[in-house]
Amino acid sequence: DTAVSQTPKYLVTQMGNDKSIKCEQNLGHDTMYWYKQDSKKFLKIMFSYNNKELIINETVPNRFSPKSPDKAHLNLHINSLELGDSAVYFCASSEGDSPLHFGNGTRLTVT
Amino acid sequence: AQSVTQPDIHITVSEGASLELRCNYSYGATPYLFWYVQSPGQGLQLLLKYFSGDTLVQGIKGFEAEFKRSQSSFNLRKPSVHWSDAAEYFCAVGSYSSASKIIFGSGTRLSIRP
């Protein structure tokens, strides 16, 4: 069983569209994250949720809105997509002091 | 400011040769250090971590890393690389008490020469 799974794996869309990426973890972890990896492989945290509550919200445009229906799920909705949003988005989870467990990523391409 | 530097963007080594990937950090408190590996199309997988104790830590897949406080370094090593080790390697530093405070380096891409 995949510990942290995200869908879709690839997402190609046009500027101005709205899209969502879903993430689920079956590890029983309390905390989930969204990271963005740009074309230079630089990895930066976007959001962190602990037990469905937002605890980290880095400097991210408000077009990005995370939603956590329960502690096993953290979805990312993006409005009015822009070219600069093209990247690989990773979901991750952790519990207490455990290291991060990452999903396999969603490659978003905005044309 | 807290930061992680991986000075080598891309390294190529021959299969069977030894490997060392460099990582330097700047961190105000006692650092907790990690190495992650990212294979193409995959997420990041933890190779090893250092929190305290023995400064030489063993990880998965035959990797090890040595914490040198005086040099602010945490270099990753492997005595003999395999073609399957070709991947992107990320060093990270943070506060163990909060995984959300982890800062990642920019990565080193490892290629293996047959």
Side-chain angles (χ1 to χ4, degrees):
Chain A
D1 284 344
T2 304
V4 181
S5 60
Q6 45 183 119
T7 56
K9 188 174 177 67
Y10 299 97
L11 184 54
V12 181
T13 188
Q14 292 183 328
M15 287 175 54
N17 285 348
D18 303 337
K19 291 293 179 184
S20 292
I21 307 172
K22 295 185 177 182
C23 178
E24 176 182 6
Q25 54 95 3
N26 62 7
L27 297 166
H29 288 170
D30 285 336
T31 308
M32 296 185 71
Y33 312 81
W34 278 109
Y35 280 83
K36 179 180 180 180
Q37 187 177 46
D38 63 23
S39 58
K40 296 185 178 180
K41 300 286 188 178
F42 184 64
L43 199 66
K44 186 174 181 181
I45 191 168
M46 300 173 67
F47 301 102
S48 173
Y49 267 73
N50 182 271
N51 270 325
K52 303 192 298 175
E53 288 192 26
L54 181 66
I55 56 172
I56 284 185
N57 183 352
E58 294 295 318
T59 308
V60 175
N62 57 16
R63 298 182 295 103
F64 290 78
S65 53
K67 285 189 171 52
S68 183
D70 55 62
K71 78 171 194 176
H73 295 84
L74 180 61
N75 303 325
L76 183 65
H77 188 76
I78 315 170
N79 290 327
S80 303
L81 278 155
E82 301 177 356
L83 292 176
D85 297 331
S86 295
V88 181
Y89 293 84
F90 286 99
C91 179
S93 71
S94 69
E95 173 76 15
D97 291 338
S98 74
L100 295 165
H101 291 254
F102 284 87
N104 286 339
T106 296
R107 181 174 294 278
L108 172 65
T109 303
V110 182
T111 61
Chain B
Q2 300 163 359
S3 64
V4 179
T5 302
Q6 294 180 246
D8 303 307
I9 297 174
H10 184 202
I11 285 182
T12 300
V13 299
S14 298
E15 190 168 16
S18 63
L19 170 71
E20 182 168 28
L21 301 182
R22 295 183 291 166
C23 174
N24 294 95
Y25 66 88
S26 173
Y27 200 75
T30 301
Y32 296 98
L33 296 154
F34 310 84
W35 274 100
Y36 283 86
V37 61
Q38 182 181 22
S39 298
Q42 302 293 314
L44 279 74
Q45 180 186 19
L46 182 70
L47 281 176
L48 47 78
K49 59 186 184 288
Y50 171 78
F51 297 142
S52 64
D54 192 347
T55 56
L56 183 64
V57 293
Q58 302 298 319
I60 62 172
K61 305 185 181 186
F63 285 92
E64 66 178 25
E66 186 171 12
F67 170 57
K68 293 185 177 180
R69 184 185 299 275
S70 62
Q71 298 177 21
S72 297
S73 69
F74 188 58
N75 294 349
L76 181 71
R77 301 194 293 249
K78 186 170 184 177
S80 175
V81 298
H82 186 262
W83 64 266
S84 61
D85 293 325
E88 192 89 21
Y89 290 80
F90 293 90
C91 180
V93 64
S95 164
Y96 185 40
S97 62
S98 174
S100 56
K101 302 292 188 185
I102 290 176
I103 301 168
F104 285 87
S106 55
T108 296
R109 183 160 64 96
L110 175 64
S111 298
I112 306 298
R113 191 184 302 117

